PDB file of all heavy atoms in Angstrom:
ATOM      1  N   THR L 208     110.104  92.472  79.412  1.00  0.00           N
ATOM      2  CA  THR L 208     108.680  92.666  79.739  1.00  0.00           C
ATOM      3  C   THR L 208     108.509  92.515  81.243  1.00  0.00           C
ATOM      4  O   THR L 208     109.072  91.598  81.837  1.00  0.00           O
ATOM      5  CB  THR L 208     107.821  91.581  79.052  1.00  0.00           C
ATOM      6  OG1 THR L 208     108.159  91.535  77.671  1.00  0.00           O
ATOM      7  CG2 THR L 208     106.336  91.874  79.196  1.00  0.00           C
ATOM      8  N   ARG L 209     107.758  93.426  81.823  1.00  0.00           N
ATOM      9  CA  ARG L 209     107.513  93.358  83.264  1.00  0.00           C
ATOM     10  C   ARG L 209     106.041  93.511  83.545  1.00  0.00           C
ATOM     11  O   ARG L 209     105.389  94.414  83.028  1.00  0.00           O
ATOM     12  CB  ARG L 209     108.228  94.523  83.962  1.00  0.00           C
ATOM     13  CG  ARG L 209     109.534  94.164  84.593  1.00  0.00           C
ATOM     14  CD  ARG L 209     110.211  95.434  85.094  1.00  0.00           C
ATOM     15  NE  ARG L 209     111.462  95.593  84.367  1.00  0.00           N
ATOM     16  CZ  ARG L 209     112.604  95.007  84.744  1.00  0.00           C
ATOM     17  NH1 ARG L 209     112.648  94.289  85.843  1.00  0.00           N
ATOM     18  NH2 ARG L 209     113.687  95.161  84.023  1.00  0.00           N
ATOM     19  N   LEU L 210     105.539  92.657  84.399  1.00  0.00           N
ATOM     20  CA  LEU L 210     104.146  92.770  84.811  1.00  0.00           C
ATOM     21  C   LEU L 210     104.074  93.614  86.064  1.00  0.00           C
ATOM     22  O   LEU L 210     105.000  93.611  86.875  1.00  0.00           O
ATOM     23  CB  LEU L 210     103.600  91.393  85.184  1.00  0.00           C
ATOM     24  CG  LEU L 210     103.151  90.439  84.092  1.00  0.00           C
ATOM     25  CD1 LEU L 210     102.807  89.099  84.743  1.00  0.00           C
ATOM     26  CD2 LEU L 210     101.951  90.979  83.329  1.00  0.00           C
ATOM     27  N   SER L 211     102.947  94.314  86.230  1.00  0.00           N
ATOM     28  CA  SER L 211     102.698  94.936  87.523  1.00  0.00           C
ATOM     29  C   SER L 211     101.195  95.007  87.741  1.00  0.00           C
ATOM     30  O   SER L 211     100.408  94.765  86.808  1.00  0.00           O
ATOM     31  CB  SER L 211     103.320  96.333  87.596  1.00  0.00           C
ATOM     32  OG  SER L 211     102.424  97.304  87.130  1.00  0.00           O
ATOM     33  N   ALA L 212     100.814  95.344  88.955  1.00  0.00           N
ATOM     34  CA  ALA L 212      99.384  95.455  89.262  1.00  0.00           C
ATOM     35  C   ALA L 212      98.726  96.495  88.351  1.00  0.00           C
ATOM     36  O   ALA L 212      97.527  96.422  88.075  1.00  0.00           O
ATOM     37  CB  ALA L 212      99.198  95.826  90.729  1.00  0.00           C
ATOM     38  N   ASP L 213      99.515  97.447  87.856  1.00  0.00           N
ATOM     39  CA  ASP L 213      99.006  98.482  86.940  1.00  0.00           C
ATOM     40  C   ASP L 213      98.381  97.899  85.667  1.00  0.00           C
ATOM     41  O   ASP L 213      97.626  98.583  84.978  1.00  0.00           O
ATOM     42  CB  ASP L 213     100.142  99.388  86.451  1.00  0.00           C
ATOM     43  CG  ASP L 213     100.706 100.267  87.533  1.00  0.00           C
ATOM     44  OD1 ASP L 213     100.042 100.436  88.575  1.00  0.00           O
ATOM     45  OD2 ASP L 213     101.818 100.800  87.337  1.00  0.00           O
ATOM     46  N   ASP L 214      98.760  96.682  85.329  1.00  0.00           N
ATOM     47  CA  ASP L 214      98.325  96.100  84.051  1.00  0.00           C
ATOM     48  C   ASP L 214      96.917  95.509  84.092  1.00  0.00           C
ATOM     49  O   ASP L 214      96.383  95.140  83.047  1.00  0.00           O
ATOM     50  CB  ASP L 214      99.274  94.946  83.652  1.00  0.00           C
ATOM     51  CG  ASP L 214     100.702  95.407  83.482  1.00  0.00           C
ATOM     52  OD1 ASP L 214     100.893  96.541  83.027  1.00  0.00           O
ATOM     53  OD2 ASP L 214     101.626  94.626  83.817  1.00  0.00           O
ATOM     54  N   PHE L 215      96.363  95.377  85.298  1.00  0.00           N
ATOM     55  CA  PHE L 215      95.174  94.522  85.405  1.00  0.00           C
ATOM     56  C   PHE L 215      93.845  95.262  85.499  1.00  0.00           C
ATOM     57  O   PHE L 215      93.743  96.324  86.101  1.00  0.00           O
ATOM     58  CB  PHE L 215      95.296  93.599  86.627  1.00  0.00           C
ATOM     59  CG  PHE L 215      96.518  92.731  86.615  1.00  0.00           C
ATOM     60  CD1 PHE L 215      97.240  92.524  87.780  1.00  0.00           C
ATOM     61  CD2 PHE L 215      96.954  92.120  85.438  1.00  0.00           C
ATOM     62  CE1 PHE L 215      98.379  91.721  87.783  1.00  0.00           C
ATOM     63  CE2 PHE L 215      98.086  91.310  85.430  1.00  0.00           C
ATOM     64  CZ  PHE L 215      98.801  91.114  86.607  1.00  0.00           C
ATOM     65  N   ILE L 216      92.839  94.608  84.910  1.00  0.00           N
ATOM     66  CA  ILE L 216      91.444  94.971  85.139  1.00  0.00           C
ATOM     67  C   ILE L 216      90.814  93.735  85.768  1.00  0.00           C
ATOM     68  O   ILE L 216      90.965  92.622  85.255  1.00  0.00           O
ATOM     69  CB  ILE L 216      90.728  95.344  83.823  1.00  0.00           C
ATOM     70  CG1 ILE L 216      91.405  96.559  83.167  1.00  0.00           C
ATOM     71  CG2 ILE L 216      89.243  95.620  84.075  1.00  0.00           C
ATOM     72  CD1 ILE L 216      90.808  96.966  81.817  1.00  0.00           C
ATOM     73  N   ASP L 217      90.146  93.926  86.899  1.00  0.00           N
ATOM     74  CA  ASP L 217      89.655  92.827  87.724  1.00  0.00           C
ATOM     75  C   ASP L 217      88.154  92.614  87.467  1.00  0.00           C
ATOM     76  O   ASP L 217      87.340  93.439  87.862  1.00  0.00           O
ATOM     77  CB  ASP L 217      89.922  93.230  89.199  1.00  0.00           C
ATOM     78  CG  ASP L 217      89.744  92.095  90.167  1.00  0.00           C
ATOM     79  OD1 ASP L 217      89.348  90.990  89.745  1.00  0.00           O
ATOM     80  OD2 ASP L 217      89.989  92.316  91.375  1.00  0.00           O
ATOM     81  N   PRO L 218      87.779  91.520  86.799  1.00  0.00           N
ATOM     82  CA  PRO L 218      86.358  91.295  86.493  1.00  0.00           C
ATOM     83  C   PRO L 218      85.590  90.755  87.705  1.00  0.00           C
ATOM     84  O   PRO L 218      86.118  89.932  88.450  1.00  0.00           O
ATOM     85  CB  PRO L 218      86.378  90.220  85.388  1.00  0.00           C
ATOM     86  CG  PRO L 218      87.814  89.976  85.064  1.00  0.00           C
ATOM     87  CD  PRO L 218      88.619  90.442  86.227  1.00  0.00           C
ATOM     88  N   ILE L 257      95.458  97.701  91.952  1.00  0.00           N
ATOM     89  CA  ILE L 257      94.823  97.435  90.653  1.00  0.00           C
ATOM     90  C   ILE L 257      93.989  98.661  90.270  1.00  0.00           C
ATOM     91  O   ILE L 257      93.200  99.149  91.072  1.00  0.00           O
ATOM     92  CB  ILE L 257      93.955  96.154  90.737  1.00  0.00           C
ATOM     93  CG1 ILE L 257      94.877  94.949  91.003  1.00  0.00           C
ATOM     94  CG2 ILE L 257      93.133  95.957  89.467  1.00  0.00           C
ATOM     95  CD1 ILE L 257      94.155  93.684  91.383  1.00  0.00           C
ATOM     96  N   PRO L 258      94.179  99.182  89.045  1.00  0.00           N
ATOM     97  CA  PRO L 258      93.514 100.448  88.704  1.00  0.00           C
ATOM     98  C   PRO L 258      92.046 100.348  88.306  1.00  0.00           C
ATOM     99  O   PRO L 258      91.341 101.352  88.347  1.00  0.00           O
ATOM    100  CB  PRO L 258      94.333 100.971  87.516  1.00  0.00           C
ATOM    101  CG  PRO L 258      95.047  99.787  86.958  1.00  0.00           C
ATOM    102  CD  PRO L 258      95.173  98.766  88.049  1.00  0.00           C
ATOM    103  N   ALA L 259      91.575  99.156  87.930  1.00  0.00           N
ATOM    104  CA  ALA L 259      90.224  99.091  87.373  1.00  0.00           C
ATOM    105  C   ALA L 259      89.535  97.765  87.658  1.00  0.00           C
ATOM    106  O   ALA L 259      90.178  96.718  87.772  1.00  0.00           O
ATOM    107  CB  ALA L 259      90.276  99.308  85.858  1.00  0.00           C
ATOM    108  N   MET L 430      89.835  95.763  72.406  1.00  0.00           N
ATOM    109  CA  MET L 430      90.172  94.531  73.109  1.00  0.00           C
ATOM    110  C   MET L 430      90.234  93.343  72.147  1.00  0.00           C
ATOM    111  O   MET L 430      89.490  93.289  71.170  1.00  0.00           O
ATOM    112  CB  MET L 430      89.092  94.249  74.154  1.00  0.00           C
ATOM    113  CG  MET L 430      89.446  93.141  75.134  1.00  0.00           C
ATOM    114  SD  MET L 430      88.005  92.520  76.014  1.00  0.00           S
ATOM    115  CE  MET L 430      87.387  93.980  76.810  1.00  0.00           C
ATOM    116  N   VAL L 431      91.141  92.442  72.466  1.00  0.00           N
ATOM    117  CA  VAL L 431      91.190  91.144  71.801  1.00  0.00           C
ATOM    118  C   VAL L 431      90.774  90.112  72.844  1.00  0.00           C
ATOM    119  O   VAL L 431      91.216  90.151  73.990  1.00  0.00           O
ATOM    120  CB  VAL L 431      92.609  90.828  71.280  1.00  0.00           C
ATOM    121  CG1 VAL L 431      92.673  89.413  70.710  1.00  0.00           C
ATOM    122  CG2 VAL L 431      93.043  91.860  70.257  1.00  0.00           C
ATOM    123  N   ALA L 434      92.677  85.532  75.071  1.00  0.00           N
ATOM    124  CA  ALA L 434      94.041  86.051  75.004  1.00  0.00           C
ATOM    125  C   ALA L 434      95.061  85.013  74.516  1.00  0.00           C
ATOM    126  O   ALA L 434      95.616  85.144  73.426  1.00  0.00           O
ATOM    127  CB  ALA L 434      94.460  86.609  76.365  1.00  0.00           C
ATOM    128  N   ILE L 441      96.720  89.722  69.107  1.00  0.00           N
ATOM    129  CA  ILE L 441      97.108  90.823  70.003  1.00  0.00           C
ATOM    130  C   ILE L 441      98.293  91.569  69.392  1.00  0.00           C
ATOM    131  O   ILE L 441      98.308  92.795  69.301  1.00  0.00           O
ATOM    132  CB  ILE L 441      97.486  90.298  71.414  1.00  0.00           C
ATOM    133  CG1 ILE L 441      96.268  89.657  72.085  1.00  0.00           C
ATOM    134  CG2 ILE L 441      98.057  91.421  72.284  1.00  0.00           C
ATOM    135  CD1 ILE L 441      96.585  88.962  73.413  1.00  0.00           C
ATOM    136  N   VAL L 452      95.608  98.779  73.711  1.00  0.00           N
ATOM    137  CA  VAL L 452      95.063  97.453  73.394  1.00  0.00           C
ATOM    138  C   VAL L 452      94.891  96.656  74.692  1.00  0.00           C
ATOM    139  O   VAL L 452      95.824  96.555  75.501  1.00  0.00           O
ATOM    140  CB  VAL L 452      96.018  96.687  72.450  1.00  0.00           C
ATOM    141  CG1 VAL L 452      95.489  95.281  72.163  1.00  0.00           C
ATOM    142  CG2 VAL L 452      96.234  97.470  71.160  1.00  0.00           C
ATOM    143  N   ALA L 453      93.700  96.111  74.858  1.00  0.00           N
ATOM    144  CA  ALA L 453      93.425  95.259  76.018  1.00  0.00           C
ATOM    145  C   ALA L 453      93.305  93.816  75.547  1.00  0.00           C
ATOM    146  O   ALA L 453      92.940  93.560  74.403  1.00  0.00           O
ATOM    147  CB  ALA L 453      92.114  95.691  76.684  1.00  0.00           C
ATOM    148  N   ALA L 454      93.622  92.880  76.439  1.00  0.00           N
ATOM    149  CA  ALA L 454      93.410  91.472  76.115  1.00  0.00           C
ATOM    150  C   ALA L 454      92.635  90.839  77.263  1.00  0.00           C
ATOM    151  O   ALA L 454      92.921  91.116  78.435  1.00  0.00           O
ATOM    152  CB  ALA L 454      94.738  90.755  75.924  1.00  0.00           C
ATOM    153  N   TYR L 455      91.661  90.018  76.933  1.00  0.00           N
ATOM    154  CA  TYR L 455      90.842  89.354  77.953  1.00  0.00           C
ATOM    155  C   TYR L 455      91.279  87.899  78.093  1.00  0.00           C
ATOM    156  O   TYR L 455      91.070  87.089  77.208  1.00  0.00           O
ATOM    157  CB  TYR L 455      89.361  89.427  77.564  1.00  0.00           C
ATOM    158  CG  TYR L 455      88.400  89.265  78.728  1.00  0.00           C
ATOM    159  CD1 TYR L 455      87.269  90.078  78.827  1.00  0.00           C
ATOM    160  CD2 TYR L 455      88.595  88.321  79.729  1.00  0.00           C
ATOM    161  CE1 TYR L 455      86.368  89.944  79.889  1.00  0.00           C
ATOM    162  CE2 TYR L 455      87.715  88.189  80.782  1.00  0.00           C
ATOM    163  CZ  TYR L 455      86.597  88.997  80.858  1.00  0.00           C
ATOM    164  OH  TYR L 455      85.707  88.858  81.900  1.00  0.00           O
ATOM    165  N   HIS L 456      91.929  87.634  79.217  1.00  0.00           N
ATOM    166  CA  HIS L 456      92.310  86.273  79.596  1.00  0.00           C
ATOM    167  C   HIS L 456      91.043  85.655  80.188  1.00  0.00           C
ATOM    168  O   HIS L 456      90.682  85.961  81.330  1.00  0.00           O
ATOM    169  CB  HIS L 456      93.436  86.383  80.634  1.00  0.00           C
ATOM    170  CG  HIS L 456      94.014  85.094  81.080  1.00  0.00           C
ATOM    171  ND1 HIS L 456      93.943  84.671  82.382  1.00  0.00           N
ATOM    172  CD2 HIS L 456      94.702  84.137  80.409  1.00  0.00           C
ATOM    173  CE1 HIS L 456      94.579  83.503  82.497  1.00  0.00           C
ATOM    174  NE2 HIS L 456      95.034  83.160  81.321  1.00  0.00           N
ATOM    175  N   VAL L 457      90.340  84.842  79.405  1.00  0.00           N
ATOM    176  CA  VAL L 457      88.942  84.526  79.740  1.00  0.00           C
ATOM    177  C   VAL L 457      88.789  83.364  80.717  1.00  0.00           C
ATOM    178  O   VAL L 457      89.770  82.696  81.089  1.00  0.00           O
ATOM    179  CB  VAL L 457      88.100  84.272  78.466  1.00  0.00           C
ATOM    180  CG1 VAL L 457      88.142  85.462  77.534  1.00  0.00           C
ATOM    181  CG2 VAL L 457      88.559  82.988  77.749  1.00  0.00           C
ATOM    182  N   MET L 479     100.266  80.725  85.959  1.00  0.00           N
ATOM    183  CA  MET L 479      99.513  81.987  85.961  1.00  0.00           C
ATOM    184  C   MET L 479     100.416  83.147  85.539  1.00  0.00           C
ATOM    185  O   MET L 479     100.076  83.922  84.629  1.00  0.00           O
ATOM    186  CB  MET L 479      98.964  82.243  87.372  1.00  0.00           C
ATOM    187  CG  MET L 479      98.550  83.680  87.635  1.00  0.00           C
ATOM    188  SD  MET L 479      97.878  83.904  89.298  1.00  0.00           S
ATOM    189  CE  MET L 479      99.363  83.954  90.283  1.00  0.00           C
ATOM    190  N   MET L 480     101.582  83.266  86.184  1.00  0.00           N
ATOM    191  CA  MET L 480     102.452  84.405  85.899  1.00  0.00           C
ATOM    192  C   MET L 480     102.992  84.349  84.467  1.00  0.00           C
ATOM    193  O   MET L 480     103.095  85.371  83.785  1.00  0.00           O
ATOM    194  CB  MET L 480     103.607  84.479  86.909  1.00  0.00           C
ATOM    195  CG  MET L 480     103.176  84.709  88.340  1.00  0.00           C
ATOM    196  SD  MET L 480     101.980  86.045  88.584  1.00  0.00           S
ATOM    197  CE  MET L 480     103.058  87.457  88.663  1.00  0.00           C
ATOM    198  N   SER L 482     101.494  82.964  81.893  1.00  0.00           N
ATOM    199  CA  SER L 482     100.387  83.292  80.992  1.00  0.00           C
ATOM    200  C   SER L 482     100.226  84.808  80.887  1.00  0.00           C
ATOM    201  O   SER L 482     100.137  85.372  79.788  1.00  0.00           O
ATOM    202  CB  SER L 482      99.070  82.701  81.506  1.00  0.00           C
ATOM    203  OG  SER L 482      99.157  81.299  81.593  1.00  0.00           O
ATOM    204  N   LEU L 483     100.198  85.475  82.033  1.00  0.00           N
ATOM    205  CA  LEU L 483      99.966  86.924  82.030  1.00  0.00           C
ATOM    206  C   LEU L 483     101.131  87.661  81.370  1.00  0.00           C
ATOM    207  O   LEU L 483     100.938  88.597  80.589  1.00  0.00           O
ATOM    208  CB  LEU L 483      99.739  87.424  83.466  1.00  0.00           C
ATOM    209  CG  LEU L 483      98.508  86.818  84.163  1.00  0.00           C
ATOM    210  CD1 LEU L 483      98.469  87.226  85.636  1.00  0.00           C
ATOM    211  CD2 LEU L 483      97.211  87.228  83.463  1.00  0.00           C
ATOM    212  N   LEU L 484     102.334  87.217  81.677  1.00  0.00           N
ATOM    213  CA  LEU L 484     103.517  87.834  81.070  1.00  0.00           C
ATOM    214  C   LEU L 484     103.472  87.687  79.545  1.00  0.00           C
ATOM    215  O   LEU L 484     103.770  88.632  78.799  1.00  0.00           O
ATOM    216  CB  LEU L 484     104.780  87.169  81.620  1.00  0.00           C
ATOM    217  CG  LEU L 484     106.099  87.742  81.102  1.00  0.00           C
ATOM    218  CD1 LEU L 484     106.416  89.055  81.804  1.00  0.00           C
ATOM    219  CD2 LEU L 484     107.253  86.762  81.298  1.00  0.00           C
ATOM    220  N   SER L 485     103.086  86.516  79.083  1.00  0.00           N
ATOM    221  CA  SER L 485     103.047  86.275  77.637  1.00  0.00           C
ATOM    222  C   SER L 485     102.028  87.170  76.939  1.00  0.00           C
ATOM    223  O   SER L 485     102.251  87.633  75.820  1.00  0.00           O
ATOM    224  CB  SER L 485     102.718  84.806  77.360  1.00  0.00           C
ATOM    225  OG  SER L 485     103.682  83.978  77.952  1.00  0.00           O
ATOM    226  N   ILE L 486     100.925  87.409  77.601  1.00  0.00           N
ATOM    227  CA  ILE L 486      99.891  88.278  77.025  1.00  0.00           C
ATOM    228  C   ILE L 486     100.431  89.707  76.913  1.00  0.00           C
ATOM    229  O   ILE L 486     100.242  90.391  75.899  1.00  0.00           O
ATOM    230  CB  ILE L 486      98.606  88.221  77.893  1.00  0.00           C
ATOM    231  CG1 ILE L 486      98.012  86.809  77.847  1.00  0.00           C
ATOM    232  CG2 ILE L 486      97.598  89.264  77.441  1.00  0.00           C
ATOM    233  CD1 ILE L 486      96.974  86.525  78.937  1.00  0.00           C
ATOM    234  N   LYS L 487     101.169  90.130  77.920  1.00  0.00           N
ATOM    235  CA  LYS L 487     101.754  91.471  77.865  1.00  0.00           C
ATOM    236  C   LYS L 487     102.850  91.544  76.794  1.00  0.00           C
ATOM    237  O   LYS L 487     102.915  92.498  76.024  1.00  0.00           O
ATOM    238  CB  LYS L 487     102.311  91.858  79.235  1.00  0.00           C
ATOM    239  CG  LYS L 487     102.770  93.307  79.254  1.00  0.00           C
ATOM    240  CD  LYS L 487     102.908  93.849  80.639  1.00  0.00           C
ATOM    241  CE  LYS L 487     103.274  95.327  80.577  1.00  0.00           C
ATOM    242  NZ  LYS L 487     103.779  95.796  81.879  1.00  0.00           N
ATOM    243  N   ARG L 488     103.688  90.526  76.744  1.00  0.00           N
ATOM    244  CA  ARG L 488     104.758  90.485  75.738  1.00  0.00           C
ATOM    245  C   ARG L 488     104.187  90.517  74.323  1.00  0.00           C
ATOM    246  O   ARG L 488     104.748  91.142  73.415  1.00  0.00           O
ATOM    247  CB  ARG L 488     105.595  89.218  75.950  1.00  0.00           C
ATOM    248  CG  ARG L 488     106.898  89.152  75.152  1.00  0.00           C
ATOM    249  CD  ARG L 488     107.420  87.723  75.088  1.00  0.00           C
ATOM    250  NE  ARG L 488     106.456  86.861  74.447  1.00  0.00           N
ATOM    251  CZ  ARG L 488     105.952  85.745  74.979  1.00  0.00           C
ATOM    252  NH1 ARG L 488     106.347  85.299  76.146  1.00  0.00           N
ATOM    253  NH2 ARG L 488     105.028  85.041  74.329  1.00  0.00           N
ATOM    254  N   GLY L 490     101.780  92.175  73.376  1.00  0.00           N
ATOM    255  CA  GLY L 490     101.427  93.542  72.998  1.00  0.00           C
ATOM    256  C   GLY L 490     100.277  94.169  73.757  1.00  0.00           C
ATOM    257  O   GLY L 490      99.891  95.298  73.451  1.00  0.00           O
ATOM    258  N   ALA L 491      99.728  93.469  74.737  1.00  0.00           N
ATOM    259  CA  ALA L 491      98.602  94.044  75.475  1.00  0.00           C
ATOM    260  C   ALA L 491      99.077  95.139  76.434  1.00  0.00           C
ATOM    261  O   ALA L 491     100.043  94.942  77.164  1.00  0.00           O
ATOM    262  CB  ALA L 491      97.879  92.954  76.257  1.00  0.00           C
ATOM    263  N   HIS L 492      98.391  96.278  76.410  1.00  0.00           N
ATOM    264  CA  HIS L 492      98.660  97.332  77.391  1.00  0.00           C
ATOM    265  C   HIS L 492      97.976  97.025  78.715  1.00  0.00           C
ATOM    266  O   HIS L 492      98.361  97.540  79.756  1.00  0.00           O
ATOM    267  CB  HIS L 492      98.115  98.675  76.907  1.00  0.00           C
ATOM    268  CG  HIS L 492      98.819  99.251  75.735  1.00  0.00           C
ATOM    269  ND1 HIS L 492      98.378  99.069  74.445  1.00  0.00           N
ATOM    270  CD2 HIS L 492      99.931 100.009  75.651  1.00  0.00           C
ATOM    271  CE1 HIS L 492      99.183  99.706  73.617  1.00  0.00           C
ATOM    272  NE2 HIS L 492     100.136 100.270  74.312  1.00  0.00           N
ATOM    273  N   MET L 493      96.896  96.252  78.649  1.00  0.00           N
ATOM    274  CA  MET L 493      96.161  95.920  79.875  1.00  0.00           C
ATOM    275  C   MET L 493      95.536  94.548  79.710  1.00  0.00           C
ATOM    276  O   MET L 493      95.233  94.127  78.598  1.00  0.00           O
ATOM    277  CB  MET L 493      95.103  96.988  80.169  1.00  0.00           C
ATOM    278  CG  MET L 493      94.071  97.116  79.085  1.00  0.00           C
ATOM    279  SD  MET L 493      93.123  98.659  79.208  1.00  0.00           S
ATOM    280  CE  MET L 493      93.995  99.678  78.033  1.00  0.00           C
ATOM    281  N   ILE L 494      95.374  93.860  80.847  1.00  0.00           N
ATOM    282  CA  ILE L 494      94.883  92.488  80.818  1.00  0.00           C
ATOM    283  C   ILE L 494      93.673  92.349  81.740  1.00  0.00           C
ATOM    284  O   ILE L 494      93.754  92.691  82.930  1.00  0.00           O
ATOM    285  CB  ILE L 494      95.978  91.497  81.271  1.00  0.00           C
ATOM    286  CG1 ILE L 494      97.258  91.682  80.449  1.00  0.00           C
ATOM    287  CG2 ILE L 494      95.478  90.058  81.167  1.00  0.00           C
ATOM    288  CD1 ILE L 494      98.467  90.916  80.999  1.00  0.00           C
ATOM    289  N   LEU L 495      92.575  91.897  81.166  1.00  0.00           N
ATOM    290  CA  LEU L 495      91.414  91.579  82.003  1.00  0.00           C
ATOM    291  C   LEU L 495      91.599  90.141  82.430  1.00  0.00           C
ATOM    292  O   LEU L 495      91.693  89.244  81.583  1.00  0.00           O
ATOM    293  CB  LEU L 495      90.125  91.726  81.187  1.00  0.00           C
ATOM    294  CG  LEU L 495      89.894  93.144  80.658  1.00  0.00           C
ATOM    295  CD1 LEU L 495      90.239  93.233  79.186  1.00  0.00           C
ATOM    296  CD2 LEU L 495      88.471  93.598  80.914  1.00  0.00           C
ATOM    297  N   THR L 496      91.716  89.913  83.740  1.00  0.00           N
ATOM    298  CA  THR L 496      91.989  88.551  84.200  1.00  0.00           C
ATOM    299  C   THR L 496      91.414  88.288  85.578  1.00  0.00           C
ATOM    300  O   THR L 496      91.466  89.145  86.457  1.00  0.00           O
ATOM    301  CB  THR L 496      93.503  88.254  84.217  1.00  0.00           C
ATOM    302  OG1 THR L 496      93.707  86.918  84.725  1.00  0.00           O
ATOM    303  CG2 THR L 496      94.298  89.237  85.064  1.00  0.00           C
ATOM    304  N   TYR L 497      90.862  87.075  85.735  1.00  0.00           N
ATOM    305  CA  TYR L 497      90.343  86.648  87.033  1.00  0.00           C
ATOM    306  C   TYR L 497      91.481  86.388  88.019  1.00  0.00           C
ATOM    307  O   TYR L 497      91.250  86.160  89.192  1.00  0.00           O
ATOM    308  CB  TYR L 497      89.474  85.392  86.854  1.00  0.00           C
ATOM    309  CG  TYR L 497      88.346  85.638  85.868  1.00  0.00           C
ATOM    310  CD1 TYR L 497      88.454  85.232  84.534  1.00  0.00           C
ATOM    311  CD2 TYR L 497      87.222  86.355  86.247  1.00  0.00           C
ATOM    312  CE1 TYR L 497      87.444  85.497  83.618  1.00  0.00           C
ATOM    313  CE2 TYR L 497      86.212  86.639  85.339  1.00  0.00           C
ATOM    314  CZ  TYR L 497      86.336  86.203  84.019  1.00  0.00           C
ATOM    315  OH  TYR L 497      85.344  86.493  83.113  1.00  0.00           O
ATOM    316  N   PHE L 498      92.715  86.412  87.520  1.00  0.00           N
ATOM    317  CA  PHE L 498      93.887  86.262  88.379  1.00  0.00           C
ATOM    318  C   PHE L 498      94.358  87.608  88.924  1.00  0.00           C
ATOM    319  O   PHE L 498      95.381  87.668  89.613  1.00  0.00           O
ATOM    320  CB  PHE L 498      95.049  85.658  87.581  1.00  0.00           C
ATOM    321  CG  PHE L 498      94.979  84.165  87.378  1.00  0.00           C
ATOM    322  CD1 PHE L 498      95.137  83.619  86.111  1.00  0.00           C
ATOM    323  CD2 PHE L 498      94.806  83.309  88.459  1.00  0.00           C
ATOM    324  CE1 PHE L 498      95.110  82.244  85.914  1.00  0.00           C
ATOM    325  CE2 PHE L 498      94.777  81.930  88.265  1.00  0.00           C
ATOM    326  CZ  PHE L 498      94.929  81.396  86.984  1.00  0.00           C
ATOM    327  N   ALA L 499      93.675  88.695  88.599  1.00  0.00           N
ATOM    328  CA  ALA L 499      94.207  90.026  88.910  1.00  0.00           C
ATOM    329  C   ALA L 499      94.707  90.158  90.358  1.00  0.00           C
ATOM    330  O   ALA L 499      95.849  90.550  90.588  1.00  0.00           O
ATOM    331  CB  ALA L 499      93.156  91.100  88.601  1.00  0.00           C
TER     332      ALA L 499
END
Side-chain angles (χ1 to χ4, degrees):
T208 309
R209 261 173 243 274
L210 280 174
S211 89
D213 291 343
D214 300 325
F215 303 139
I216 299 177
D217 192 356
I257 295 168
M430 191 197 302
V431 174
I441 296 173
V452 178
Y455 202 138
H456 184 242
V457 303
M479 162 179 78
M480 297 312 276
S482 300
L483 298 172
L484 182 77
S485 301
I486 295 165
K487 187 162 184 196
R488 191 198 60 235
H492 292 95
M493 61 196 97
I494 306 170
L495 299 103
T496 178
Y497 303 98
F498 281 130

